[in-house]
Amino acid sequence: MVTGMKKILIANCNCEIRKKIEDISNRLGADCIVIPKNMYNHTVAELAGIKVLNSMVTEYNGNEFSMEMVVFSNLSDKELDLFLDLCRKSQTQIRLKAVVTKDNSGWSLVDLYNELMREYLFYKMRAR
């Protein structure tokens, strides 16, 4: 979508998953950025470093996400496939994943999470 540094944003990941994602990110030459809960109201573009952080955004003080989420910025299809393959091989489950796009870059991380949760639940219900 946007050229620039390869970044992998992670939210609500436990220490074990975070360490595995950091290791995979290093292999891919991508920066791994842990998003603190208080920044969940910022846009995906801001968190990925595509836009400057808006200092007027109110701090998020809602509940922590119930599932882990990873957002990819500026990774090629081949790099995404490799990331997913390495996660499978290391038995690292990440239930919510997204790629920064023109459409979602202006969404807050909370909005992206809510959309991914709707999709996750929809497909989980269809699998029954």
Side-chain angles (χ1 to χ4, degrees):
M1 183 216 116
V2 178
T3 58
M5 292 288 299
K6 294 184 279 192
K7 295 185 181 180
I8 298 174
L9 312 176
I10 58 177
N12 190 37
C13 291
N14 66 40
C15 291
E16 181 182 341
I17 291 174
R18 186 178 72 233
K19 176 71 175 120
K20 289 179 181 181
I21 292 172
E22 287 170 346
D23 291 344
I24 294 169
S25 297
N26 287 336
R27 288 183 68 175
L28 296 174
D31 290 337
C32 183
I33 302 169
V34 178
I35 306 300
K37 179 181 145 189
N38 68 328
M39 295 186 74
Y40 288 0
N41 280 336
H42 284 275
T43 68
V44 173
E46 289 171 331
L47 297 170
I50 297 167
K51 285 188 168 183
V52 176
L53 282 176
N54 180 347
S55 61
M56 301 302 285
V57 172
T58 58
E59 191 171 284
Y60 177 79
N61 58 9
N63 293 328
E64 179 58 83
F65 295 162
S66 60
M67 290 189 190
E68 65 285 339
M69 180 170 74
V70 174
V71 182
F72 305 97
S73 179
N74 295 315
L75 272 70
S76 68
D77 289 346
K78 188 174 182 178
E79 290 166 328
L80 287 170
D81 289 343
L82 180 57
F83 179 93
L84 297 173
D85 186 51
L86 292 170
C87 280
R88 274 190 295 279
K89 287 179 179 171
S90 67
Q91 297 179 345
T92 304
Q93 182 184 37
I94 303 163
R95 292 175 284 186
L96 304 179
K97 298 175 275 305
V99 173
V100 177
T101 66
K102 188 178 97 176
D103 291 330
N104 69 19
S105 65
W107 298 2
S108 72
L109 197 65
V110 172
D111 291 339
L112 180 59
Y113 173 82
N114 289 334
E115 179 61 25
L116 292 174
M117 279 298 294
R118 278 191 289 277
E119 292 174 10
Y120 175 84
L121 294 171
F122 174 80
Y123 287 109
K124 191 156 182 79
M125 294 302 291
R126 282 190 59 192
R128 289 184 168 189

